[in-house]
């Protein structure tokens, strides 16, 4: 059973709980997202159609929960390796709260692509590379609700312009 750290509103760990309890009771927790860049573009993964939550939606390059006892950087490195088969240094971009009625503290990192992407068949159905000026293409795509806040912090101008015309998908 996967345990996830529960946090207080200041981001301090106050306990842990199974994923079902985290979401069933909307317990505050931590999430990591990684944006992989290559040749001036960022890779956005398409979540596997076999995923129970938001299948087929575009999301950050890699991301997931911070497990109990795990540091956010360790979680980001783990998710990057699990989902895309990539290893390498990660640079912190932002730490912010995403709260749609469920408080989550997001840790956003960026990475430069070194080597080929190797998708986890269980989690990823490919994806696409977009330059900042191409972010408007996402307006016609189903997107994970945490994608735009991450893009806004990575590319403040272009993503903010595109986001004003974006309608979010259902959230979790």
């Amino acid at each position: 059973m996967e345990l996830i750290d529960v946090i207080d509103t200041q981001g301090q760990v106050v306990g842990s709980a199974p994923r079902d309890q985290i979401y069933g009771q909307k317990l505050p927790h931590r999430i990591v997202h990684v944006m992989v860049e290559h040749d001036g573009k960022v890779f956005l993964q398409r979540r596997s159609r076999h995923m129970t939550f938001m299948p087929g939606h575009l999301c950050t390059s890699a991301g997931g929960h911070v497990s109990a006892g795990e540091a956010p950087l360790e979680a980001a490195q783990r998710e990057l390796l699990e989902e895309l088969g990539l290893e390498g240094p990660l640079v912190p971009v932002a730490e912010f709260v995403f709260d749609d009625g469920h408080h989550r503290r997001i840790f956003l990192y960026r990475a430069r692509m070194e080597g080929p992407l190797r998708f986890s068949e269980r989690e990823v159905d490919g994806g696409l590379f977009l330059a900042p000026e191409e972010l408007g293409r996402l307006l016609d795509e189903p997107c994970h609700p945490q994608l735009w806040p991450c893009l806004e912090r990575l590319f403040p101008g272009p993503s903010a312009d595109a986001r004003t015309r974006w309608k979010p998908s259902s959230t979790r």
Side-chain angles (χ1 to χ4, degrees):
M1 168 181 14
E2 177 189 12
L3 291 178
I4 297 171
D5 280 336
V6 176
I7 60 171
D8 62 20
T9 55
Q10 284 72 48
Q12 300 303 306
V13 175
V14 296
S16 62
R19 180 193 300 248
D20 290 346
Q21 185 179 352
I22 292 279
Y23 284 98
Q25 297 178 14
K26 294 188 176 184
L27 300 174
H29 61 285
R30 299 175 297 172
I31 300 281
V32 295
H33 285 288
V34 180
M35 300 298 259
V36 174
E37 297 171 297
H38 181 69
D39 288 339
K41 296 184 176 189
V42 65
F43 177 74
L44 303 179
Q45 76 157 263
R46 186 166 306 279
R47 293 170 59 84
S48 171
R49 64 188 163 280
H50 303 295
M51 299 290 282
T52 56
F53 180 66
M54 295 199 158
H57 282 59
L58 287 174
C59 194
T60 55
S61 305
H65 299 95
V66 178
S67 296
E70 188 176 38
L73 178 59
E74 294 170 326
Q77 291 168 327
R78 174 180 50 77
E79 293 290 350
L80 186 61
L81 183 60
E82 285 177 7
E83 294 179 11
L84 302 179
L86 295 177
E87 294 182 88
L90 299 180
V91 177
V93 173
E95 177 182 336
F96 61 96
V97 171
F98 180 86
D99 194 330
D100 57 357
H102 186 173
H103 182 100
R104 281 147 299 179
R105 184 168 291 271
I106 306 291
F107 293 82
L108 176 62
Y109 299 89
R110 74 186 330 150
R112 301 278 180 218
M113 193 166 114
E114 302 293 333
L117 297 173
R118 293 184 311 277
F119 302 132
S120 163
E121 291 179 20
R122 185 174 57 88
E123 296 188 51
V124 182
D125 277 348
L128 56 117
F129 282 93
L130 289 177
E133 62 274 10
E134 297 174 308
L135 294 176
R137 289 179 48 196
L138 297 176
L139 299 173
D140 297 324
E141 292 278 351
C143 293
H144 189 288
Q146 294 170 16
L147 175 60
W148 280 105
C150 290
L151 287 171
E152 288 170 349
R153 283 156 178 88
L154 193 65
F155 306 118
S159 61
D161 294 343
R163 173 102 195 266
T164 61
R165 301 183 313 272
W166 178 71
K167 302 285 187 274
S169 300
S170 62
T171 58
R172 176 177 181 180

